[in-house]
Amino acid sequence: MRNDPNFQPHDASLVPRFAEVATFMRTRQKDATSDLDIALVGVPFDLGTNFRTGARLGPAAVREASRIIRQVHPTSGVAPFRLCNVADVGDAPVNALDQQRSLDSIQSFFESLHTVGAVPIAIGGDHTIPLPILRAIAKARPVGVVHFDAHPDTLDELLGTKINHATPFRRVVEEGLIEPERTIQIGLRGSRFGDDDLKFSYDSGMRVITMDDYEELGRAAVIREIDRVVGDGPTYISFDVDGLDPAYAMGTGVPEVGGLSVRDCQVMLRSLRGKWLVGADISEVAPMYDPTGHTALNAANLMFEMLCVIAEDVAKRKAL
């Protein structure tokens, strides 16, 4: 149990939630050093979108929304800040006019986190960001993925480009960064560009659970599938908020009706307790499309779910 006082977040019972500068879950803002276990990272990049931009403002909105998060999980009792040194390490650097330079600098930033042994939990930014993150943390060995999304993100090209928010999970397979047979995609739905939008996911060996499949199987059966598919190997979590129904996440670039509930996603994330978790992202929060703030609030709560299961795993591995 780390419980380093230099890493303890502000306690809402002592310091009002509206006070102090916003950080993810009121953690301390720190540089990446060897005593850091889990790095909370903003990635304000949205040069990979093909419709509504604005996810570059996602990290700031989630930081503000996460003021509401307390320190102990209500169901598992996990207290992540007692188990691990957790800090907000700021935003990965981006160039607002240059996609390639941005992707390179994002990758370099996550490589620096990986070098000191910090497990990243990122808030995007559009859903291109798993590509530079996985290039940084999965070069030594490929990982499995639990992927929540309305879209497969396995197109080869979109608007004549190979790298954008509709292609990252094709690129990471081609680059050998993930094991497709240990990858599960949950919540896919919505109209498609063509007949073959899901073909690469199926052909590469990913387990695809569309929303129709989800309703037919039920949550408990999907949780069993997650466990079966990812097994005991290293696993990354990628959560595009458009996987949620727009009732819970209208603040996103491409909302798709008929999606997952926040409650179901909380329970599925909790099912990852005991897994070997190497990182996570939540992407596509575009706050200007949701003046209620629900999308950022839900993303903040899902981030806490990820933090709890990752902190428990990190603490267990450090104790070995």
Side-chain angles (χ1 to χ4, degrees):
M1 185 172 292
R2 301 279 281 201
N3 209 18
D4 186 331
N6 294 315
F7 283 87
Q8 291 307 296
H10 293 294
D11 184 341
S13 68
L14 301 174
V15 182
R17 291 189 179 112
F18 51 78
E20 301 296 338
V21 174
T23 58
F24 290 122
M25 288 175 274
R26 309 195 76 199
T27 52
R28 308 293 177 170
Q29 186 159 358
K30 300 273 190 182
D31 293 330
T33 52
S34 60
D35 55 350
L36 178 64
D37 298 320
I38 300 174
L40 310 181
V41 193
V43 189
F45 169 91
D46 62 4
L47 295 176
T49 57
N50 73 314
F51 183 34
R52 302 196 299 183
T53 59
R56 65 183 62 184
L57 302 180
V62 175
R63 283 188 174 98
E64 283 290 344
S66 70
R67 290 178 182 272
I68 201 169
I69 303 297
R70 300 180 185 89
Q71 296 187 23
V72 181
H73 194 280
T75 301
S76 67
V78 171
F81 306 109
R82 292 182 210 153
L83 294 174
C84 294
N85 289 341
V86 184
D88 186 330
V89 296
D91 288 346
V94 299
N95 183 310
L97 298 177
D98 190 321
Q99 185 196 76
Q100 188 56 56
R101 286 176 64 184
S102 292
L103 294 173
D104 290 344
S105 61
I106 293 167
Q107 180 180 340
S108 178
F109 189 84
F110 280 87
E111 286 172 344
S112 70
L113 298 176
H114 191 59
T115 297
V116 300
V119 175
I121 304 177
I123 295 290
D126 73 53
H127 212 199
T128 311
I129 71 167
L131 178 58
I133 294 173
L134 288 167
R135 282 173 170 171
I137 70 174
K139 285 189 292 190
R141 42 95 181 95
V143 301
V145 181
V146 181
H147 175 197
F148 300 89
D149 207 326
H151 314 102
D153 294 351
T154 53
L155 296 183
D156 186 32
E157 290 188 359
L158 183 64
L159 298 176
T161 68
K162 291 275 193 177
I163 295 179
N164 54 68
H165 70 162
T167 66
F169 286 97
R170 190 179 188 121
R171 300 287 88 87
V172 293
V173 171
E174 292 170 345
E175 295 181 21
L177 301 173
I178 73 169
E179 298 176 282
E181 68 279 5
R182 292 188 53 246
T183 295
I184 183 168
Q185 299 185 306
I186 305 166
L188 308 189
R189 63 190 188 279
S191 55
R192 299 173 186 166
F193 291 107
D195 297 332
D196 295 334
D197 283 15
L198 297 182
K199 188 175 187 299
F200 185 86
S201 294
Y202 287 117
D203 288 352
S204 65
M206 296 181 189
R207 176 66 168 103
V208 175
I209 298 181
T210 67
M211 274 308 299
D212 292 333
D213 297 331
Y214 188 86
E215 288 193 319
E216 183 176 343
L217 290 167
R219 187 176 73 196
V222 172
I223 286 172
R224 289 192 293 272
E225 276 296 274
I226 294 171
D227 179 61
R228 180 190 68 81
V229 170
V230 302
D232 297 325
T235 300
Y236 182 84
I237 308 166
S238 190
F239 199 116
D240 186 325
V241 292
D242 68 29
L244 296 174
D245 189 273
Y248 308 101
M250 181 53 75
T252 191
V254 189
E256 299 282 6
V257 300
L260 297 162
S261 74
V262 175
R263 174 61 181 171
D264 281 0
C265 292
Q266 286 179 302
V267 175
M268 285 188 279
L269 288 170
R270 291 171 191 176
S271 78
L272 297 174
R273 291 184 76 185
K275 296 297 184 187
W276 179 3
L277 301 172
V278 299
D281 72 76
I282 301 176
S283 299
E284 300 282 358
V285 175
M288 68 290 296
Y289 304 122
D290 181 4
T292 68
H294 285 171
T295 307
L297 177 65
N298 289 331
N301 277 275
L302 293 173
M303 187 184 197
F304 184 65
E305 297 288 348
M306 293 176 177
L307 173 61
C308 288
V309 293
I310 289 173
E312 197 171 38
D313 174 60
V314 169
K316 178 186 70 176
R317 293 187 184 282
K318 285 188 174 291
L320 294 177

